[in-house]
């Protein structure tokens, strides 16, 4: 199975956990595209749910698949949140934000005690940090914010898209920060968040309840729980 097929397999399987009557959070990314596709199919077959999307892209995709949407003016707790990740370690700490949606993703994941992460096996690591850590920052003074972040021991690169600065759904910038191996993710998250100008980090600490991971060798999906 190639990586794309692994993404589809894990996404389809995890969507089975969604039950009638639930209000859910809907993540962002290429793995989630498959989940949204499957969810749309289930909705068409009568599944009654409402979802809060974690990005404008996901909202658009959900509308295409006729998945009913809601927002936090109507809801204060989510029964389940399903989302992808860029890296997951053995303690189920995550790096997210490769798709640029980390802020809304964290707000949504924080609204449930049932945060389900779907990955293929390439994302499961012993130690976080091979994937550059995305950090969302305020555009004003981003250069000085970047220097403060770099003083923690990384190289921070301003994210671009098609040769323009990448702008998040919340009108912020993203710095992709190369720390190397992150041995103390909780501490690093605290240090980053205390820098003025940092809005949020892609470190999702003690948030994931369950990880679904697809493996090519056995062509199966395993569940890892905290
Ligand atoms: C978006 C994310 C995604 O969940 C993460 O980047 C994984 O994406 P993909 O499923 O495309 O590999 O955090 O901000």
């Amino acid at each position: 199975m190639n990586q794309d097929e692994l993404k589809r397999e894990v996404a389809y399987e995890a969507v089975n956990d969604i039950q009638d009557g639930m209000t859910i959070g809907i993540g962002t990314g290429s793995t989630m595209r498959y989940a949204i596709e499957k969810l749309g199919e289930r909705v068409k077959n009568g599944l009654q749910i409402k979802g809060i999307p974690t990005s404008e892209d996901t909202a658009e995709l959900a509308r295409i698949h006729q998945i009913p949407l809601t927002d936090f003016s109507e809801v204060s707790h989510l029964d389940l949140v399903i989302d992808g990740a860029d890296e997951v370690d053995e303690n189920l700490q995550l790096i997210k934000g490769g798709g640029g949606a980390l802020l809304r993703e964290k707000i949504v994941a924080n609204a449930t005690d049932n945060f389900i992460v779907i990955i293929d096996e390439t994302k499961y690591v012993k130690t976080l940090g091979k994937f550059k850590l995305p950090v969302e920052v305020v555009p004003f003074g981003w250069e000085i914010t970047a220097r403060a972040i770099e003083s923690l021991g990384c190289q921070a690169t301003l994210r671009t898209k098609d040769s323009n600065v990448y702008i998040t759904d919340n009108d912020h910038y993203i710095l992709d920060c190369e720390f190397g191996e992150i041995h103390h993710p909780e501490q690093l998250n605290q240090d980053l968040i205390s820098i003025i100008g940092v809005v949020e980090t892609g470190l999702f600490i003690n948030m994931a309840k369950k990880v679904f991971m697809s493996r090519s060798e056995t062509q199966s999906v395993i569940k890892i729980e905290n």
Side-chain angles (χ1 to χ4, degrees):
M1 270 199 223
N2 63 34
Q3 193 181 14
D4 222 40
E5 288 166 336
L6 287 171
K7 286 182 180 192
R8 188 193 308 124
E9 192 191 23
V10 72
Y12 279 20
E13 169 110 19
V15 165
N16 289 331
D17 268 28
I18 299 169
Q19 290 159 18
D20 232 12
M22 281 185 165
T23 305
I24 67 168
I26 311 174
T28 296
S30 54
T31 314
M32 276 306 302
R33 290 186 84 85
Y34 289 120
I36 293 165
E37 179 183 295
K38 189 72 183 169
L39 191 56
E41 216 177 282
R42 290 195 62 198
V43 166
K44 209 175 264 172
N45 290 329
L47 180 76
Q48 305 261 355
I49 54 135
K50 276 186 180 174
I52 296 189
T54 54
S55 64
E56 298 300 330
D57 279 354
T58 290
E60 193 187 327
L61 208 57
R63 279 186 213 107
I64 290 170
H65 288 279
Q66 299 182 334
I67 298 167
L69 297 179
T70 183
D71 60 40
F72 288 116
S73 68
E74 292 181 337
V75 171
S76 45
H77 178 264
L78 296 168
D79 298 304
L80 177 153
V81 174
I82 179 169
D83 203 349
D86 299 298
E87 274 186 357
V88 176
D89 77 7
E90 295 170 335
N91 300 312
L92 305 195
Q93 312 294 25
L94 321 175
I95 287 183
K96 286 185 52 54
L102 66 98
L103 177 56
R104 294 191 189 186
E105 288 174 335
K106 208 179 255 192
I107 291 169
V108 170
N110 195 44
T112 190
D113 42 23
N114 193 13
F115 178 32
I116 293 178
V117 178
I118 55 174
I119 55 164
D120 64 82
E121 62 189 355
T122 63
K123 314 268 188 79
Y124 194 63
V125 297
K126 193 166 168 40
T127 310
L128 298 176
K130 199 163 175 201
F131 192 91
K132 290 179 194 165
L133 177 66
V135 177
E136 185 154 344
V137 300
V138 171
F140 179 83
W142 72 267
E143 300 93 336
I144 195 170
T145 307
R147 288 197 284 274
I149 291 173
E150 285 185 330
S151 75
L152 297 177
C154 73
Q155 189 168 343
T157 307
L158 184 64
R159 188 178 294 187
T160 56
K161 190 180 176 185
D162 305 327
S163 307
N164 296 312
V165 178
Y166 176 82
I167 312 278
T168 71
D169 284 348
N170 322 293
D171 292 331
H172 297 135
Y173 291 172
I174 287 190
L175 296 168
D176 290 301
C177 302
E178 196 168 3
F179 280 97
E181 290 194 347
I182 299 172
H183 291 286
H184 303 288
E186 191 163 358
Q187 184 60 53
L188 179 59
N189 189 49
Q190 286 305 322
D191 292 345
L192 285 166
I193 220 73
S194 68
I195 293 173
I196 292 169
V198 168
V199 180
E200 195 45 86
T201 87
L203 285 166
F204 283 49
I205 303 298
N206 302 331
M207 295 183 89
K209 178 159 180 234
K210 209 191 299 180
V211 172
F212 283 62
M213 177 172 69
S214 52
R215 294 188 304 176
S216 58
E217 203 183 313
T218 50
Q219 303 212 346
S220 61
V221 172
I222 60 165
K223 294 172 195 173
I224 312 164
E225 281 197 56
N226 240 339

